[in-house]
Amino acid sequence: MSSRMAGSVLLRHAGASRRLFSATAASPAAAAARPLLAGGEGSWARMMSTSAASQAKDQAAKAADAAAAAAGKGGDGEKKEVAVNSYWGIEQSQKLVREDGTEWKWSCFKPWETYTADTSIDLTKHHVPKTMLDKIAYYTVKSLRFPTDIFFQRRYGCRAMMLETVAAVPGMVGGMLLHLRSLRRFEQSGGWIRALLEEAENERMHLMTFMEVAQPRWYERALVITVQGVFFNAYFLGYLISPKFAHRVVGYLEEEAVHSYTEFLKDLEDGKIDNVPAPAIAIDYWRLPANATLKDVVTVVRADEAHHRDVNHFASDVYYQGMQLKATPAPIGYH
């Protein structure tokens, strides 16, 4: 009896051991297969349906993109304007209209940024140079006029384009440096940052206007690139060294601009230059009548230059009195 009992005990232990080792060896494979096989055929069906739905969604997205691209072209193949839906929440504004109800077509400026130029400003004002710094500024500008007269002669349309590519630089440089100064010193600018940037923008609009009147030649474009690169860096350094000198230079440049546009008007009045209709951008920007001509455009541009002359001579005077520009209110919107 005892030998039989001992044998049965040994057999039971051996069977338990086989079950333990077989379970341990199979557990990793079983664990890996369990999620897939637990659901049987239903699980495979769910996986297949999910994959099909994903493919259908991708195909629908591609079809929507193709439809949007097709919508951008008319029946005759002409491309139409399509509103861009932005992920960042930036939406195109609604179409603006003029006072007469017609559509506003300019994106570079808005109706509330237009104005009527003050043509009653005194065009004969001149700052007489008295200090050595003023005399250097005055004769520097005068020396720049000589090569300009030789190059452009009486082609005032191209001359105006060259003038405006230079005249739009000082306001941007001055506004940028005042902006950086305000950040460094944690102080207000008295509105002068905005005033100088307004001046730069106004001068740029002069350029955009004369681009509609006269198309520059290739060598004139090359000259613009060269002059702008030299003048920007020279004015930047000059403003860092002496803001009063820099503003005085611009004041004298604007005096020369007034003189150049006066000569432009004389040639228009004498019939040496065709008094063509005013560009549409000029009519909207200066609120000119619909029948305005090039003479009207030159008149308002000259008035703008006279205002810039006053602002820069005034800024130089502020520095000459030992003050910073922030100490005096800026003439925002003066032009």
Side-chain angles (χ1 to χ4, degrees):
M1 290 294 294
S2 60
S3 59
R4 292 176 183 171
M5 291 180 63
S8 64
V9 169
L10 289 173
L11 288 174
R12 283 197 299 269
H13 279 290
S17 298
R18 283 196 300 269
R19 287 194 299 271
L20 177 63
F21 282 106
S22 63
T24 304
S27 60
R34 190 175 296 114
L36 297 176
L37 302 178
E41 295 181 357
S43 177
W44 283 104
R46 286 194 296 272
M47 289 177 61
M48 293 297 292
S49 63
T50 302
S51 177
S54 177
Q55 293 177 0
K57 185 176 180 181
D58 292 341
Q59 292 177 357
K62 292 179 180 179
D65 292 340
K73 295 184 178 180
D76 55 353
E78 182 181 357
K79 190 173 181 179
K80 296 182 180 179
E81 183 178 358
V82 179
V84 179
N85 294 324
S86 175
Y87 168 78
W88 307 107
I90 301 174
E91 298 180 357
Q92 293 179 339
S93 58
Q94 297 180 352
K95 291 184 177 180
L96 302 175
V97 295
R98 298 183 179 87
E99 295 179 354
D100 59 0
T102 58
E103 182 181 349
W104 182 265
K105 64 177 183 178
W106 309 109
S107 59
C108 53
F109 64 100
K110 304 301 182 183
W112 53 84
E113 296 173 340
T114 63
Y115 64 99
T116 301
D118 178 17
T119 57
S120 64
I121 188 172
D122 187 358
L123 302 173
T124 62
K125 283 184 179 180
H126 169 63
H127 181 274
V128 179
K130 297 179 180 179
T131 67
M132 180 59 67
L133 209 59
D134 283 356
K135 291 179 181 179
I136 294 175
Y138 177 75
Y139 288 109
T140 298
V141 173
K142 282 296 184 182
S143 66
L144 294 175
R145 183 179 180 85
F146 179 71
T148 305
D149 289 342
I150 294 177
F151 186 82
F152 291 103
Q153 298 181 2
R154 302 194 72 82
R155 293 186 295 117
Y156 286 108
C158 295
R159 187 192 189 103
M161 282 191 296
M162 172 62 74
L163 180 66
E164 299 302 343
T165 59
V166 173
V169 171
M172 181 60 66
V173 172
M176 176 186 67
L177 290 177
L178 289 180
H179 174 74
L180 295 176
R181 178 189 178 93
S182 175
L183 297 178
R184 288 195 310 269
R185 301 197 175 188
F186 307 97
E187 63 184 18
Q188 298 291 337
S189 69
W192 278 94
I193 296 174
R194 180 178 174 184
L196 293 178
L197 293 181
E198 278 185 353
E199 176 185 315
E201 174 64 13
N202 182 246
E203 298 284 10
R204 191 185 66 84
M205 289 303 299
H206 294 175
L207 176 62
M208 296 298 103
T209 298
F210 285 113
M211 284 292 295
E212 301 292 328
V213 177
Q215 294 296 325
R217 301 180 176 93
W218 68 268
Y219 58 85
E220 291 172 338
R221 290 178 179 270
L223 181 63
V224 166
I225 296 173
T226 304
V227 171
Q228 187 184 81
V230 173
F231 183 73
F232 177 90
N233 289 284
Y235 190 79
F236 179 83
L237 293 175
Y239 203 99
L240 286 175
I241 297 171
S242 176
K244 62 183 176 183
F245 172 76
H247 281 291
R248 191 68 79 198
V249 167
V250 179
Y252 287 130
L253 281 174
E254 300 294 359
E255 289 185 16
E256 292 297 327
V258 171
H259 174 75
S260 295
Y261 284 119
T262 300
E263 294 296 316
F264 197 167
L265 284 172
K266 287 181 180 179
D267 280 5
L268 284 168
E269 293 170 353
D270 295 340
K272 297 179 181 178
I273 300 176
D274 293 337
N275 190 23
V276 297
I281 191 172
I283 292 175
D284 285 338
Y285 185 67
W286 283 284
R287 300 178 186 174
L288 297 174
N291 60 349
T293 62
L294 180 58
K295 179 182 176 181
D296 299 316
V297 175
V298 176
T299 300
V300 296
V301 170
R302 182 179 63 172
D304 287 347
E305 305 293 1
H307 285 84
H308 300 326
R309 170 203 64 193
D310 295 349
V311 170
N312 282 277
H313 279 315
F314 173 73
S316 183
D317 289 344
V318 171
Y319 281 113
Y320 264 105
Q321 294 174 16
M323 299 186 297
Q324 296 293 326
L325 290 181
K326 65 176 183 177
T328 57
I332 297 176
Y334 176 63
H335 64 270

